[in-house]
Amino acid sequence: MRIGVVSDIHSNLTALVAVLDDMGAVDQLWCLGDFVGYGPWPNECIDLLRERGALAIAGNHDLAAIGTLSCEDFNGDAAIAARWTADQLSPSSRSYLESLRPIGEVEGVTLAHGTPREPVWEYMLSASTAAAGFDAIDTDLCLVGHTHIPSLFVESESGVPEVSYMPGGATSPSAPLQRIVNPGSVGQPRDRDPRAAYLVYDTDAKELAWRRVEYDIDKVQKRMRELGLPAFLTERLAYGV
Ligand code: ZN
């Protein structure tokens, strides 16, 4: 089975459309949360992923948009964008986001927005966090988002997981050890590569392929300026930071 994995779309419809076009036909589509927050098209991103039948979990920005988390928990620009997003959500988008949980399991794979230990806020960035993550799961593979950095954490016999940051186009073939994997972000990459990031998981080969795709960043920035969204959130898209 060929599974497309997207995460951290952040209301960037232009990037999401480019990713889905590039991905082509898949048997399943999974979303690791943060449909919304930061960008200009929250309802459109939710609608498109729902139309495609995505299996999804909620991210911290989704939970802020529906009031489960307080916007006060975010820093200045993110809080402004979170309040704007909450005002934009349609009743249908709101009830959809309310139906999601920040962690789940599908096809024998754990999905967690942040980490399996703390799926709402914790960032999977270090070997020690990965070690705690392996203790928290009983599946071979766990997919996480939240950091916006394509990455791979592999259990090791030494007890200290191996950490790799995965550039576009990299693949990781079948491994007997547990893995925690981040596809990177569709709508706001932060690894100094501004192209939209996603992952294709081939369940037969147990192979993971990190992919990158260019999209019309100017178009997104123009819309963000028209809407008065924060300048820092607008400018960072061009730099992938
Ligand atoms: Zn995010």
Side-chain angles (χ1 to χ4, degrees), residues 8 10 34 61 113 146 148:
D8 298 277
H10 286 295
D34 280 2
H61 286 261
H113 181 67
H146 194 43
H148 300 206

PDB file of all heavy atoms in Angstrom, residues 8 10 34 61 113 146 148, ligand 1:
ATOM      1  N   ASP A   8       1.377  19.642   9.353  1.00  0.00           N
ATOM      2  CA  ASP A   8       1.644  21.076   9.506  1.00  0.00           C
ATOM      3  C   ASP A   8       1.380  21.858   8.222  1.00  0.00           C
ATOM      4  O   ASP A   8       2.262  22.525   7.679  1.00  0.00           O
ATOM      5  CB  ASP A   8       3.074  21.273  10.039  1.00  0.00           C
ATOM      6  CG  ASP A   8       3.224  20.638  11.405  1.00  0.00           C
ATOM      7  OD1 ASP A   8       2.855  21.272  12.395  1.00  0.00           O
ATOM      8  OD2 ASP A   8       3.659  19.455  11.480  1.00  0.00           O
ATOM      9  N   HIS A  10      -0.920  24.271   8.021  1.00  0.00           N
ATOM     10  CA  HIS A  10      -0.988  25.667   8.462  1.00  0.00           C
ATOM     11  C   HIS A  10      -1.693  26.589   7.480  1.00  0.00           C
ATOM     12  O   HIS A  10      -1.194  27.675   7.149  1.00  0.00           O
ATOM     13  CB  HIS A  10       0.404  26.182   8.833  1.00  0.00           C
ATOM     14  CG  HIS A  10       0.895  25.627  10.135  1.00  0.00           C
ATOM     15  ND1 HIS A  10       0.283  25.924  11.331  1.00  0.00           N
ATOM     16  CD2 HIS A  10       1.878  24.742  10.431  1.00  0.00           C
ATOM     17  CE1 HIS A  10       0.893  25.269  12.309  1.00  0.00           C
ATOM     18  NE2 HIS A  10       1.859  24.528  11.794  1.00  0.00           N
ATOM     19  N   ASP A  34      -2.141  20.166  12.744  1.00  0.00           N
ATOM     20  CA  ASP A  34      -1.900  21.553  12.341  1.00  0.00           C
ATOM     21  C   ASP A  34      -2.363  21.781  10.903  1.00  0.00           C
ATOM     22  O   ASP A  34      -1.599  22.214  10.042  1.00  0.00           O
ATOM     23  CB  ASP A  34      -0.446  21.990  12.569  1.00  0.00           C
ATOM     24  CG  ASP A  34      -0.176  22.354  14.025  1.00  0.00           C
ATOM     25  OD1 ASP A  34      -1.093  22.226  14.859  1.00  0.00           O
ATOM     26  OD2 ASP A  34       0.966  22.755  14.331  1.00  0.00           O
ATOM     27  N   HIS A  61      -2.207  23.842  17.024  1.00  0.00           N
ATOM     28  CA  HIS A  61      -2.884  24.990  16.398  1.00  0.00           C
ATOM     29  C   HIS A  61      -4.351  24.690  16.101  1.00  0.00           C
ATOM     30  O   HIS A  61      -5.188  25.598  16.158  1.00  0.00           O
ATOM     31  CB  HIS A  61      -2.151  25.407  15.118  1.00  0.00           C
ATOM     32  CG  HIS A  61      -0.861  26.106  15.392  1.00  0.00           C
ATOM     33  ND1 HIS A  61      -0.715  27.469  15.365  1.00  0.00           N
ATOM     34  CD2 HIS A  61       0.358  25.605  15.733  1.00  0.00           C
ATOM     35  CE1 HIS A  61       0.535  27.794  15.668  1.00  0.00           C
ATOM     36  NE2 HIS A  61       1.210  26.682  15.887  1.00  0.00           N
ATOM     37  N   HIS A 113       0.981  14.163  17.061  1.00  0.00           N
ATOM     38  CA  HIS A 113       1.396  15.458  16.506  1.00  0.00           C
ATOM     39  C   HIS A 113       2.776  15.858  17.028  1.00  0.00           C
ATOM     40  O   HIS A 113       3.694  16.124  16.264  1.00  0.00           O
ATOM     41  CB  HIS A 113       0.363  16.548  16.809  1.00  0.00           C
ATOM     42  CG  HIS A 113       0.773  17.867  16.235  1.00  0.00           C
ATOM     43  ND1 HIS A 113       0.838  18.094  14.884  1.00  0.00           N
ATOM     44  CD2 HIS A 113       1.212  19.016  16.832  1.00  0.00           C
ATOM     45  CE1 HIS A 113       1.285  19.330  14.664  1.00  0.00           C
ATOM     46  NE2 HIS A 113       1.520  19.901  15.823  1.00  0.00           N
ATOM     47  N   HIS A 146       4.920  18.746  14.005  1.00  0.00           N
ATOM     48  CA  HIS A 146       5.127  19.771  15.028  1.00  0.00           C
ATOM     49  C   HIS A 146       6.447  20.529  14.921  1.00  0.00           C
ATOM     50  O   HIS A 146       6.481  21.735  15.128  1.00  0.00           O
ATOM     51  CB  HIS A 146       4.975  19.135  16.406  1.00  0.00           C
ATOM     52  CG  HIS A 146       4.821  20.080  17.557  1.00  0.00           C
ATOM     53  ND1 HIS A 146       4.008  21.198  17.515  1.00  0.00           N
ATOM     54  CD2 HIS A 146       5.357  20.059  18.814  1.00  0.00           C
ATOM     55  CE1 HIS A 146       4.070  21.814  18.704  1.00  0.00           C
ATOM     56  NE2 HIS A 146       4.873  21.147  19.492  1.00  0.00           N
ATOM     57  N   HIS A 148       8.300  20.769  12.137  1.00  0.00           N
ATOM     58  CA  HIS A 148       8.425  21.256  10.757  1.00  0.00           C
ATOM     59  C   HIS A 148       9.799  20.915  10.165  1.00  0.00           C
ATOM     60  O   HIS A 148      10.250  21.581   9.234  1.00  0.00           O
ATOM     61  CB  HIS A 148       8.185  22.773  10.668  1.00  0.00           C
ATOM     62  CG  HIS A 148       6.829  23.223  11.127  1.00  0.00           C
ATOM     63  ND1 HIS A 148       6.238  24.381  10.672  1.00  0.00           N
ATOM     64  CD2 HIS A 148       5.931  22.683  12.000  1.00  0.00           C
ATOM     65  CE1 HIS A 148       5.046  24.532  11.236  1.00  0.00           C
ATOM     66  NE2 HIS A 148       4.846  23.514  12.060  1.00  0.00           N
TER      67      HIS A 148
HETATM   68 ZN    ZN B   1       2.899  23.193  13.191  1.00  0.00          ZN
END
